[in-house]
Amino acid sequence: MRGKKLWLLGVGGGLGVMSLFVALLVVGTYVAAAGLAGGAARGGAVNLAKGTVPAAYAPLVQKWGNLCPALNPALLAAQLYQESGWKPKAQSGAAAQGIAQFIPGTWETHGIDANKDGKRDVWDPEDAIPSAASYDCKLAKYVKDAPGDRTDNMLAAYNAGSYAVIKYGGVPPYSETKNYVSTIRKMEQSFASAKGGGKGGGGRVNPSEQSAGAIYYAQEKLGTPYLWGGDGTAEDGGKFDCSGLTKAAYKSVGIDLPRVANDQWNSGPHPKRDELLPGDLVFFGTDLEDPRSIDHVGIYVGGGHMIDAPYTGAKIRFDPIDSPNYFGATRPTAD
């Protein structure tokens, strides 16, 4: 970013003052990132970050995520999210079923009646979530002697089978399996409380130098009209919707985000309101207990404000973040 102009001039006196304020925050973000480059502390139990798992499933995930050393609640949450997006009636073209996407033959062998209602129901999260944790831990035992990270090997076995992990001495060289493991391990930190510890959780939530570049990108788009579904492409006339703007801003600094706002929620750890730093994504929803209700996102710039693409008929602008539907924040992490 050296040599680049750091603020916009004009578009009204108030906007000019705010843009100068943003410029100072951009510089401050670089300083903060450099000062905290040492990384987060590790160790201790892993707890779920508030609001990352739908309230109906959070107790199950927290309990069963501690079933064995290779598993933790944040990892189990990331796996379930990757499998079904928390949809208990999900069904794939390969006949995988339910919130944990069990193939019928695997369910027949490994499904458990966790809620003790007399039946093993793949469509019931009260059975399927504990069954996923139980199956994970069985797989971890099957591949315990394979070289490499035990949790990576467990996830690879869930995706490709334990035989493949043993055969290849770790995560097999299948692109689908390698992506499955990588995606879940990255999302794991998104579901872990900042107070938790262990692999994928805990400690101080560090800022990223890329966040300064993302702010700069978004700042350059101030005044651009909103377009629902807009990604800022030539076909879109350079226009954005809210998540299109945040995706493009972080794409400009080499971080790929999902396309829609409620998926972007899972792109990194979740700082508290009083821990926000410029560049954090801030989210808004209709149900503060359910991340799938998130319907808006912006890029925090400090001082209680964000840059966002608000709605049809509006332009990309500065808006306050404090409102009754403020859901929380995410600090995107590099791929």
Side-chain angles (χ1 to χ4, degrees), residues 225-299:
Y226 176 97
L227 175 67
W228 186 85
D231 290 308
T233 63
E235 292 79 3
D236 294 331
K239 300 174 184 178
F240 301 87
D241 64 9
C242 65
S243 56
L245 175 64
T246 52
K247 178 176 173 61
Y250 269 96
K251 179 69 173 178
S252 74
V253 293
I255 295 179
D256 289 320
L257 298 179
R259 177 57 182 86
V260 299
N262 56 24
D263 286 336
Q264 290 181 5
W265 169 252
N266 292 314
S267 61
H270 304 291
K272 298 178 182 178
R273 173 65 181 85
D274 60 1
E275 296 173 336
L276 288 179
L277 290 173
D280 290 343
L281 299 181
V282 284
F283 295 88
F284 306 84
T286 56
D287 180 350
L288 301 188
E289 297 297 324
D290 184 2
R292 303 309 294 172
S293 79
I294 290 172
D295 56 13
H296 189 59
V297 60
I299 298 180

Side-chain angles (χ1 to χ4, degrees), residues 306-329:
M306 64 180 171
I307 296 176
D308 69 325
Y311 46 78
T312 300
K315 297 179 179 180
I316 295 175
R317 66 193 190 190
F318 295 104
D319 274 322
I321 71 165
D322 290 319
S323 70
N325 61 338
Y326 175 76
F327 190 91

Side-chain angles (χ1 to χ4, degrees), residues 202-224:
R204 184 169 49 194
V205 180
N206 291 342
S208 163
E209 287 190 15
Q210 287 99 329
S211 60
I215 293 172
Y216 176 80
Y217 181 96
Q219 184 187 0
E220 289 286 281
K221 305 303 178 184
L222 287 166
T224 301

Side-chain angles (χ1 to χ4, degrees), residues 50-322:
K50 183 179 179 181
T52 55
V53 175
Y57 310 136
L60 283 169
V61 174
Q62 183 67 50
K63 173 184 175 181
W64 288 89
N66 289 299
L67 188 61
C68 66
L71 191 62
N72 68 63
L75 185 83
L76 179 60
Q79 185 181 27
L80 293 166
Y81 179 83
Q82 175 69 7
E83 290 288 349
S84 68
W86 303 117
K87 298 179 180 67
K89 301 301 181 183
Q91 186 162 7
S92 77
Q97 300 174 334
I99 199 168
Q101 289 292 276
F102 275 98
I103 292 173
T106 306
W107 177 260
E108 184 64 27
T109 304
H110 298 286
I112 61 176
D113 177 19
N115 62 3
K116 307 299 183 184
D117 66 352
K119 60 182 179 179
R120 298 180 300 139
D121 187 354
V122 71
W123 304 108
D124 185 350
E126 292 186 359
D127 286 344
I129 291 174
S131 295
S134 174
Y135 185 43
D136 273 336
C137 293
K138 289 178 183 177
L139 292 172
K141 289 182 179 179
Y142 296 159
V143 300
K144 64 181 176 64
D145 294 327
D149 183 272
R150 66 181 180 183
T151 298
D152 288 353
N153 290 341
M154 177 189 74
L155 292 172
Y158 196 99
N159 179 260
S162 55
Y163 173 76
V165 174
I166 295 169
K167 175 183 176 181
Y168 288 102
V171 178
Y174 309 148
S175 57
E176 177 188 333
T177 302
K178 291 165 68 176
N179 182 65
Y180 180 82
V181 174
S182 175
T183 299
I184 290 173
R185 295 313 297 266
K186 290 170 187 171
M187 285 200 300
E188 179 186 359
Q189 62 185 306
S190 176
F191 288 95
S193 168
K195 288 184 177 180
K199 202 160 190 175
R204 184 169 49 194
V205 180
N206 291 342
S208 163
E209 287 190 15
Q210 287 99 329
S211 60
I215 293 172
Y216 176 80
Y217 181 96
Q219 184 187 0
E220 289 286 281
K221 305 303 178 184
L222 287 166
T224 301
Y226 176 97
L227 175 67
W228 186 85
D231 290 308
T233 63
E235 292 79 3
D236 294 331
K239 300 174 184 178
F240 301 87
D241 64 9
C242 65
S243 56
L245 175 64
T246 52
K247 178 176 173 61
Y250 269 96
K251 179 69 173 178
S252 74
V253 293
I255 295 179
D256 289 320
L257 298 179
R259 177 57 182 86
V260 299
N262 56 24
D263 286 336
Q264 290 181 5
W265 169 252
N266 292 314
S267 61
H270 304 291
K272 298 178 182 178
R273 173 65 181 85
D274 60 1
E275 296 173 336
L276 288 179
L277 290 173
D280 290 343
L281 299 181
V282 284
F283 295 88
F284 306 84
T286 56
D287 180 350
L288 301 188
E289 297 297 324
D290 184 2
R292 303 309 294 172
S293 79
I294 290 172
D295 56 13
H296 189 59
V297 60
I299 298 180
Y300 187 63
V301 298
H305 283 77
M306 64 180 171
I307 296 176
D308 69 325
Y311 46 78
T312 300
K315 297 179 179 180
I316 295 175
R317 66 193 190 190
F318 295 104
D319 274 322
I321 71 165
D322 290 319

